[in-house]
């Protein structure tokens, strides 16, 4: 499958199909000590529907009598006293089974909880960069997750919903787009119950991790600022809301499948430059290390969940014996976003196919006017070999312009220079304008020569690409450097194209006037000695100048058309 047809290369931060497959294989080789990465809560939810009043009715008559007498003496309701009794029981249970976590009598969280929350925060810090990337576009993440969890569905879409299965034609038929979209919708509706359940599990896991990294760790830990007997303490009253937020996530059990972790890593594109045994630093080893680290962090979360009776602690902190965890939500709309992103991917592919159709029409012009069978490219393109190929905005445009100034422009450069030096312009202003336009064309040629030298292996740009290619590593720093360099390069080429356009437009008007081909614009006139100028090897100077005029006009027209469709995907 070529770059244009692979729907996932663009989703995985520029990774090629081979790179993605290799990374998946390495990550899948890492075994986890946890079974299915299950994060089941310590305290199962089993009494959510039992109210305090109903629970009170189940108590012994003697106990209820005691509560009634106490309510009369204290002025508090029986329900309030029963709630306090239940809180006291919960506190004793926590104190007995999980000593050192809370001081329920005085209302404090203790040092052991401080240590456990600190460890938990380290896990959140590890996952946070990956979750931030996912949060930018859930739909695209689901497509990538689906490519790992449901590879057969991905293959079916790529083979059956593909504009490139049709021949390139000058005018694409609109019904082809409709047919492909209907087939995509059909494939989505054919997903089995098991396939949907798999995807929902992965989506739910991703949302759980997202909500986990957003928990108020820093705010909670900041309030452990009371030091008593060398122990950190935190009053319940300061962190009630924080504890409720933690309980909502940590008391709702989920399973974290490895496929969700693999998708997070690939989607983020953060290929970690972590040293490995033997001194090697590769993308594959980074992926492997990520999976090992992710399993380790999930193990810490698992230990916290199994070590801290968080629901009971929240009940004590809020003084509400019937406090219940809100149901966890997240990932329920995965199918809608999954389908929507696939449609967007198809629209990108369709647009690219339409551009290819336009390209074929331009190719005919290229053959007819310049006798070229294919689009010329820059002789030095160091970005094309790095990391499966880096996007360059002006692949075709810059390639043709370089070819034009190396092959075509020299054939009539002398003729233009002769007009500038020997031409007797009927309008003096035209001489100044002709000189300006000709000099601009020469400057464009010089700039292209300079660009070629910079792109060579020993040049300013080529040298950087050569080093990165030999390093065989893809780091965040290296990627940022390449992005900055490509942006600068595209700005430079854009400036060259702008100057070429300015020079061509003016030269076209001047040659119109000189050759008397268009007298609509009185500002541009001929030269009085056109018939007298001679060049060795050319019978007619005017005919040579007419060829130059046609070549410049055709080149400018082709550049305008190329610039509007230029893309690496069009180089096939």
């Amino acid at each position: 499958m070529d770059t244009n047809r692979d729907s996932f290369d663009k989703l995985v931060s520029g990774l090629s199909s081979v790179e993605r497959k290799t990374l998946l294989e390495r990550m899948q080789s890492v075994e986890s000590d946890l079974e299915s990465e299950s994060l089941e809560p310590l305290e199962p939810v089993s009494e959510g529907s039992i109210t305090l009043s109903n629970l009170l009715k189940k108590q012994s008559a003697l106990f209820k009598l005691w509560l009634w007498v106490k309510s009369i003496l204290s002025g508090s309701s029986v329900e309030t006293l029963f709630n306090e009794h239940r809180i006291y029981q919960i506190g004793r249970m926590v104190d007995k089974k999980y000593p050192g976590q809370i001081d329920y009598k005085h209302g404090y969280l203790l040092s052991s909880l401080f240590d456990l929350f600190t460890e938990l925060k380290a896990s959140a810090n590890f996952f946070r960069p990956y979750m931030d990337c996912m949060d930018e576009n859930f739909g695209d993440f689901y497509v990538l997750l689906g490519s790992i969890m449901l590879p057969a569905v991905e293959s079916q879409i790529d083979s059956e919903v593909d504009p490139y299965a049709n021949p390139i034609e000058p005018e694409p038929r609109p019904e082809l787009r409709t047919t492909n979209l209907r087939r995509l919708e059909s494939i989505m509706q054919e997903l089995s119950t098991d396939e949907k359940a798999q995807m929902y599990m992965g989506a739910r896991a991703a949302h759980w991790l997202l909500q986990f990294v957003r928990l108020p760790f820093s705010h909670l830990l900041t309030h452990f600022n009371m030091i008593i007997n060398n122990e950190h303490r935190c009053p319940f009253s300061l962190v009630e809301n924080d504890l409720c937020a933690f309980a909502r996530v940590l008391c709702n059990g989920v399973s974290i499948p490895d496929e969700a972790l693999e998708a997070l890593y690939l989607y983020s594109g953060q290929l970690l430059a972590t040293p490995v045994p033997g001194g090697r630093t590769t993308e594959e080893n980074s992926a492997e290390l990520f999976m090992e680290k992710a399993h380790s962090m999930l193990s810490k979360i698992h230990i916290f969940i199994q070590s801290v009776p968080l629901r009971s602690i929240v009940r004590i902190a809020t003084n509400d014996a019937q406090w219940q965890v809100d149901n966890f939500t997240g990932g329920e709309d995965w199918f809608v976003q999954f389908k929507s992103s696939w449609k967007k991917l198809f629209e990108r592919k369709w647009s690219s196919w339409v551009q290819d159709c336009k390209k074929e029409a331009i190719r005919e012009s290229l053959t007819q006017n310049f006798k070229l069978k294919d689009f010329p490219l820059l002789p030095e393109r160091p970005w094309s070999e790095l990391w499966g190929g880096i996007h360059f905005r002006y692949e075709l445009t810059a390639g043709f312009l370089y070819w034009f100034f190396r092959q075509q422009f020299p054939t009539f450069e002398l003729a233009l220079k002769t007009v500038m030096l020997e031409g007797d312009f009927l309008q003096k202003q035209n001489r100044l304008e002709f000189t300006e336009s000709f000099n601009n064309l020469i400057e464009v040629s010089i700039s292209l020569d300079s660009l070629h030298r910079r792109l060579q292996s020993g040049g300013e740009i080529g040298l950087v690409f050569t080093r990165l290619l030999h390093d065989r590593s893809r780091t965040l720093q290296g990627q940022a450097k390449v992005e900055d360099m490509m942006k600068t390069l595209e700005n430079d080429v854009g400036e060259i194209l702008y100057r070429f356009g300015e020079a061509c437009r003016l030269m076209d008007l001047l040659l119109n006037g000189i050759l008397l081909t268009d007298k609509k614009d009185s500002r541009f006139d001929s030269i009085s000695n056109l018939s007298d100028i001679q060049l060795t090897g050319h019978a007619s100077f005017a005919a040579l100048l007419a060829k130059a005029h046609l070549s410049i006009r055709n080149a400018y027209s082709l550049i305008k058309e190329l610039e509007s469709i230029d893309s690496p995907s069009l180089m096939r």
Side-chain angles (χ1 to χ4, degrees), residues 241-480:
N241 292 335
D242 291 346
L243 290 173
C244 290
F246 275 90
R248 180 183 177 276
V249 175
L250 298 174
C251 291
N252 279 289
V254 296
S255 292
I256 309 292
D258 274 357
E259 292 89 344
L261 298 177
E262 293 160 6
L264 284 174
Y265 180 78
L266 291 173
Y267 188 72
S268 72
Q270 298 189 48
L271 304 177
L272 309 178
T274 308
V276 297
R280 294 179 296 117
T281 304
T282 67
E283 295 167 3
E284 292 87 350
N285 283 319
S286 295
E288 201 171 15
L289 287 171
F290 165 81
M291 291 301 289
E292 292 175 357
K293 189 73 171 177
H295 288 152
S296 173
M297 293 298 107
L298 288 177
S299 180
K300 288 184 179 182
I301 299 173
H302 181 79
I303 290 171
F304 182 96
I305 290 175
Q306 294 298 312
S307 303
V308 179
L310 195 55
R311 187 183 65 174
S312 294
I313 291 175
V314 173
R315 288 178 170 180
I316 297 168
T318 59
N319 195 37
D320 181 359
Q322 291 302 106
W323 183 89
Q324 290 295 327
V325 181
D326 294 333
N327 290 330
F328 177 83
T329 58
E332 288 77 14
D333 63 344
W334 74 267
F335 183 72
V336 174
Q337 297 196 51
F338 179 68
K339 185 166 66 172
S340 175
S341 283
W342 262 116
K343 286 183 178 178
K344 290 178 183 177
L345 283 172
F346 169 77
E347 294 294 355
R348 287 186 219 166
K349 188 179 287 189
W350 175 262
S351 177
S352 180
W353 184 70
V354 171
Q355 294 290 70
D356 272 2
C357 290
K358 292 180 180 179
K359 175 193 170 187
E360 289 307 306
I362 297 175
R363 193 193 300 271
E364 292 181 8
S365 173
L366 190 72
T367 302
Q368 180 180 349
N369 296 323
F370 298 100
K371 304 299 184 288
L372 291 172
K373 294 182 179 180
D374 209 343
F375 293 94
L377 300 174
L378 289 170
E380 300 291 341
R381 298 168 49 248
W383 55 83
S384 64
E385 301 297 328
L386 184 66
W387 304 333
I390 304 296
H391 174 82
F392 177 48
R393 168 70 180 84
Y394 297 109
E395 288 282 8
L396 304 181
T397 315
F400 172 77
L401 191 63
Y402 184 84
W403 175 89
F404 177 77
F405 273 93
R406 298 288 75 77
Q407 302 297 325
Q408 283 278 295
F409 185 70
T411 63
F412 56 77
E413 178 183 353
L414 182 58
L416 296 179
K417 187 174 183 180
T418 301
V419 171
M420 181 182 69
L421 296 176
E422 301 181 17
D424 185 9
F425 288 84
L426 298 178
Q427 293 193 33
K428 301 304 180 185
Q429 181 64 26
N430 290 165
R431 175 183 292 279
L432 298 176
E433 292 168 333
F434 192 95
T435 301
E436 176 189 351
S437 178
F438 178 76
N439 287 337
N440 284 339
L441 289 174
I442 295 298
E443 288 178 7
V444 168
S445 180
I446 293 172
S447 296
L448 289 170
D449 281 336
S450 174
L451 177 66
H452 175 67
R453 289 193 297 271
R454 290 165 64 197
L455 293 176
Q456 288 178 318
S457 59
E460 172 193 347
I461 297 174
L463 188 61
V464 175
F465 278 99
T466 300
R467 288 172 179 170
L468 289 173
L469 192 61
H470 289 163
D471 286 344
R472 299 178 61 83
S473 63
R474 184 175 183 175
T475 65
L476 291 176
Q477 295 84 355
Q479 186 166 324

